[in-house]
Structures are given as structure tokens and as C-alpha cells.
Amino acid sequence: MPEINTWQIIKNNVLRRLSERQWLPGDTLPSEMEFAREFGCARATVNKALNELASTGILERKRKSGTRVTINPVRKATMSIPVTRQEIQARGCTYSHVLIENTLKRLPAHMTSRFNVPGGVKALHHKALHLSDHEAFLYEDRWINTIVMPDIQEVDFTTISANEWLVGHAPYSRGELSILSAAASADEALHLGIDEGRPILIVERTTWSDTQPITFVRLAYRPGYRLNSTL
Amino acid sequence: MPEINTWQIIKNNVLRRLSERQWLPGDTLPSEMEFAREFGCARATVNKALNELASTGILERKRKSGTRVTINPVRKATMSIPVTRQEIQARGCTYSHVLIENTLKRLPAHMTSRFNVPGGVKALHHKALHLSDHEAFLYEDRWINTIVMPDIQEVDFTTISANEWLVGHAPYSRGELSILSAAASADEALHLGIDEGRPILIVERTTWSDTQPITFVRLAYRPGYRLNSTL
DNA sequence: TAGTGGTCTAGACCACATA
DNA sequence: ATGTGGTCTAGACCACTAT
């Protein structure tokens, strides 16, 4: 428990007292002024420490009513979703990727509703396979809105993955993420080199720039893959 | 874009300029002092705004070298993992749960390593089914460390779920979370009322109080379940 | 109405990494 | 050596809400 700063000392102290059940779920903690006196510091310092704890969902803070221990804490896990190349290289493996498809075509029905655009609009359909030590790791099936990203049709995706290009060229303002389990489709099974119907982890992500959809991607991970996080 | 506070105004302003590509990945932003002059505010206010952006992974800050636009941002998604009862009730459904097993037994080998305890130690093996509108929603298979939580053997888990009891009585200091896709085991399939081998989403969680493991739980969600989040 | 947290200031000192 | 962000202070005013 490294305690270098005053606000971290306060944070850790409060955490310890919570684990020792000095304050139970629903209880009100002392006010910022009281903590400031206890620790001999400014109120702003206490404010930072308590807000830090509130951001993890352990405490709830409201003006006038004070700081309370959350009764049914919504546990918040921060999942880090790195660029695939980095994720693979971080494990000490060799990264490579193969472009499978990159064509302009009419959006299918399930995509027009997702992109909230009229039917008949064309978009870039992009499929690629990411490999770890030359073995299939992740199959990517992506639609890119060419109205928002016209430059993308000139990009050579055999040298850089769409994943990385978009990260560098399409700053998003908003995104939605969905994690599910599915039976591998024929397409996914073929490219991942597994049997159709095998359970695989799917991550679907839509990103928006203001009100314009930029891209929708469905990531199919090879069997055995886990998304890990600490609480 | 509600702009009430100075620090939120600054944050939104910087976000807009980033999306307009005024600063590209790798670029250095103006210093806090320069921003403070631009917005006519104190440096602490700029500090709060930029730290807010850095916490989302968009910016990277280092003493002396300044604030840079992250080159390969590790996208951070915050997943909210509510207590199951709340999650079901929030959808307007009726929550109920059934206790399936709650017995003290020797830890199997894969759990002794996970709990980092010697072999032969006993723990509470707890299985329960959570229902939404009287249909199977989530099957919970849990081991609880009775050395750390001796009171738990007296609890009546037919009235309160282990999930909720632990949230209120076992504050954890640390936790690990793992999300994966798996074929439903015979046990899971039986209780969820599905065919064995069906792909289901699995969440495994271990929580620790300081150095002592409190509980390990494997949550098996019914087919079709999605974990959602915004970026 | 009163007490709480939210925000902001002007200034200060410090830790750190770069040049 | 220098300039950056990290932290802290003492004080202030404000917004919200329980009483």
C-alpha cells in the first residue's frame, strides 16, 4: 500500500476502515471538514480522496446529505481493450494480419438500422484475420461509413490493419460495446480454423463521431480467449 | 454537451479540437499554464479537465514532457456489474432465486491453487439459480472461504442470495474478473434448462480481502445474454 | 434555512524527466 | 538546469437538498 500523497493516505485509511466494518453499507461518513481536521489537511485534499472512492462505486456522495457507503454497489470493472497488435506483442508473440475482404457494397438491413441511415447506402465491408505466432487469433468483420471517412478507400490495409488506422484517423466521441458468447458461424469457423458451432467470445463495437456512425465491428476471438480485468 | 463548469468547458473544448484533428496522435498539447491563460482560469482547473481526459486513455501526461495525444489508445470500457437482483428488476422483470446447494466440503484441487491454501481445507460450496420472470437467468457456482467469513454458515440463503449477502458483509479490497465463452456443462445446462454444449457467456470472479481470498464465483448466463457498456 | 459537497482561485512547493 | 505536471493550501462562493 504505497502512501505517498495525503489524498492516497486518506483513501487507503478509509478503505481500511470500511473493510474493518467501521462504517456499514448505508452509513454516513464524516463530512469533508471533519476528515480535514482529522488528517490535518485542506478540504480539497479530502475531496479528492473521497471522490476517488466514489468513482469506484464504493461511496455515494450528495450535497447536503453527505457521503454514504453504497448499499448495493454496482461493481465497476474497467476493461482495457488494446489494439490487437499490441495485445499479441505484449504476450511476446509475433503479430501478423491478413486482409480477407475490402469492398464497397450496399449495407444489409441489419446494418442500416444500426448505422441509422436509409437503405441503399453503400459502405466499406472489411474483413481481416489477426494472427498470433502465425495462428488465427481474432477474426474481424467490420463495416465502415465511407460518408464520414472518405479517405479510407485509399488506404492500403495489407500494411496496416483497419483497427490501427481508424484509431489514428477517426477519433470517436462515443462508442457502444457488447460482449456475448456465440456459436462460431461458418465464416468465422473457416477463418479461425475451428469447427462451426464452437463457442467463441464475441465483442461487438459501434463508434460514433458526434451523431455520425463511423464503424461497426464484430470481433470473433479464438476459443479459449478470455477478457481479463481487475476490480 | 452540457457545459456548466469551467473544467467541463475545457474538457469539451479539447475533445472537439481533438476530433477536428487540431492535434494528432503523438502531438504535444499546450501546457496547463497556456490553457489557463486561454480560458482565463486557474491552473488547477485545467489540471482537472486534462486529468479527466487522461483517465479515459485519450491523453497521456508526464512531468516535464507535457501532455500528448495517445498514439495507440488502450480503449477503456467501464463495465457495470450490478447485483443480479437489481439487474433483473431494472428490466422490469420479477426476480427470484433458488438455492441448489450450500455445503461445507473439501476444496477440489483447482480451487486450492486459486485460493492459495493448502490441500484438505474445507470451504462452503454454494450453488444457486437466479430467475427472471420465473425463467432461468443465471446459474451461480461459488466457493466461499469460511476461514475469512465464519458467520456465513449461519446465513439463510433461501431468503437472501449469497451475492447480496457478500456485497453487504464482505467488503473486498481487490478482485479479478475474467469473461469467456464456453459450452454449457452438464450441470449448467441442467439448471439453465438448455442443451449441454450450448455456447454461454461465463464470468468468473475472485475477490480478496487484503491477502485472504473471500470467494470465487463462476456465473453462467442464459443464452443470448450480453454484457453492455459505453466507451 | 442550514449544512453538505462541487467548484474555483492564487499561490506555493515538489518530483520527475528531458535536454 | 529547467519546465512540466502532481499535489497541497486557505479561503471563497455556489448548488443542491434535507429539515
Side-chain angles (χ1 to χ4, degrees):
Chain A
M1 226 181 278
E3 293 184 356
I4 309 164
N5 310 315
T6 310
W7 72 263
Q8 285 176 349
I9 292 172
I10 297 171
K11 178 186 162 187
N12 288 332
N13 181 288
V14 171
L15 267 179
R16 184 179 53 72
R17 283 150 86 170
L18 281 168
S19 76
E20 288 170 356
R21 308 181 56 65
Q22 175 171 342
W23 302 299
L24 298 178
D27 285 359
T28 302
L29 267 62
S31 73
E32 293 188 346
M33 275 307 299
E34 290 175 281
F35 273 123
R37 276 193 292 273
E38 175 181 345
F39 289 95
C41 67
R43 185 168 75 90
T45 308
V46 176
N47 186 277
K48 174 151 187 167
L50 295 184
N51 278 336
E52 188 86 2
L53 291 172
S55 76
T56 71
I58 296 174
L59 301 180
E60 282 175 334
R61 320 195 71 201
K62 262 197 301 203
R63 285 166 156 112
K64 166 69 181 176
S65 84
T67 302
R68 290 164 177 276
V69 183
T70 308
I71 294 183
N72 282 126
V74 174
R75 308 197 178 202
K76 289 178 184 167
T78 303
M79 311 284 320
S80 292
I81 303 175
V83 171
T84 305
R85 180 175 60 74
Q86 292 190 317
E87 180 174 16
I88 288 171
Q89 289 174 344
R91 301 176 183 200
C93 299
T94 310
Y95 171 78
S96 55
H97 75 276
V98 180
L99 180 62
I100 292 168
E101 184 178 341
N102 195 56
T103 54
L104 200 63
K105 59 171 86 158
R106 221 187 299 274
L107 275 170
H110 71 276
M111 285 305 305
T112 56
S113 59
R114 215 186 275 271
F115 271 14
N116 196 24
V117 294
V121 170
K122 287 191 174 184
L124 193 65
H125 193 190
H126 178 99
K127 295 182 182 179
L129 183 67
H130 301 260
L131 303 104
S132 172
D133 280 347
H134 311 292
E135 285 181 14
F137 179 83
L138 168 65
Y139 175 61
E140 170 181 353
D141 186 331
R142 184 188 288 274
W143 288 90
I144 300 165
N145 187 344
T146 45
I147 296 166
V148 182
M149 306 295 307
D151 308 353
I152 203 158
Q153 295 177 62
E154 316 300 328
V155 180
D156 177 11
F157 284 123
T158 56
T159 54
I160 184 172
S161 78
N163 191 344
E164 285 190 70
W165 191 88
L166 284 166
V167 160
H169 295 78
Y172 65 86
S173 57
R174 189 159 57 84
E176 290 167 10
L177 190 74
S178 195
I179 302 170
L180 58 144
S181 169
S185 69
D187 197 34
E188 289 159 353
L190 172 68
H191 292 108
L192 288 174
I194 58 173
D195 290 335
E196 191 176 339
R198 188 95 184 262
I200 52 174
L201 191 71
I202 303 287
V203 172
E204 292 184 349
R205 185 167 61 208
T206 309
T207 54
W208 307 72
S209 176
D210 205 10
T211 58
Q212 293 288 328
I214 301 173
T215 184
F216 166 78
V217 63
R218 178 182 167 102
L219 304 172
Y221 287 90
R222 69 177 176 195
Y225 181 80
R226 283 166 177 256
L227 272 170
N228 294 305
S229 160
T230 54
L231 298 172
Chain B
M1 225 181 279
E3 294 183 356
I4 308 164
N5 310 313
T6 310
W7 73 265
Q8 284 175 350
I9 292 173
I10 299 172
K11 178 187 163 186
N12 288 332
N13 182 288
V14 171
L15 267 179
R16 184 178 54 71
R17 285 150 85 170
L18 281 168
S19 76
E20 288 171 355
R21 308 183 57 64
Q22 176 172 343
W23 302 298
L24 298 178
D27 286 359
T28 302
L29 267 62
S31 72
E32 293 188 346
M33 274 308 298
E34 289 175 281
F35 273 124
R37 275 192 293 272
E38 175 182 344
F39 289 96
C41 68
R43 186 168 75 90
T45 308
V46 176
N47 184 277
K48 174 150 187 169
L50 295 184
N51 278 335
E52 189 85 1
L53 291 171
S55 76
T56 72
I58 296 174
L59 302 180
E60 282 175 335
R61 319 195 72 201
K62 265 196 300 203
R63 284 166 157 114
K64 165 70 179 174
S65 83
T67 302
R68 289 164 178 275
V69 183
T70 307
I71 293 183
N72 282 125
V74 174
R75 306 195 180 204
K76 289 178 186 167
T78 303
M79 310 285 319
S80 291
I81 304 175
V83 171
T84 304
R85 180 176 59 75
Q86 292 190 317
E87 180 174 15
I88 288 171
Q89 290 174 344
R91 300 177 182 200
C93 298
T94 310
Y95 171 77
S96 55
H97 75 276
V98 180
L99 180 63
I100 292 168
E101 183 177 342
N102 195 56
T103 54
L104 201 64
K105 59 171 87 158
R106 221 185 301 273
L107 276 170
H110 71 276
M111 285 305 305
T112 56
S113 59
R114 214 186 274 271
F115 270 13
N116 197 24
V117 294
V121 170
K122 287 192 173 183
L124 192 65
H125 194 190
H126 179 98
K127 296 182 182 179
L129 183 68
H130 301 261
L131 302 104
S132 172
D133 280 345
H134 310 293
E135 285 180 15
F137 179 85
L138 168 65
Y139 175 61
E140 171 181 354
D141 186 332
R142 183 188 288 276
W143 287 90
I144 300 165
N145 188 342
T146 45
I147 296 165
V148 182
M149 305 295 307
D151 307 353
I152 202 159
Q153 294 177 63
E154 317 300 329
V155 180
D156 176 13
F157 285 122
T158 57
T159 56
I160 184 172
S161 78
N163 191 345
E164 286 190 69
W165 191 88
L166 284 165
V167 160
H169 294 78
Y172 64 87
S173 57
R174 190 160 56 84
E176 291 167 11
L177 190 74
S178 194
I179 302 170
L180 58 143
S181 168
S185 69
D187 196 33
E188 288 158 354
L190 172 69
H191 292 109
L192 288 174
I194 59 173
D195 290 336
E196 191 175 340
R198 187 94 185 266
I200 52 174
L201 191 70
I202 303 286
V203 172
E204 292 184 349
R205 185 166 62 208
T206 310
T207 54
W208 306 72
S209 176
D210 204 11
T211 58
Q212 294 288 327
I214 301 172
T215 183
F216 165 79
V217 63
R218 178 181 168 102
L219 304 172
Y221 287 90
R222 68 176 176 195
Y225 180 80
R226 282 166 176 256
L227 272 170
N228 295 306
S229 160
T230 55
L231 297 172

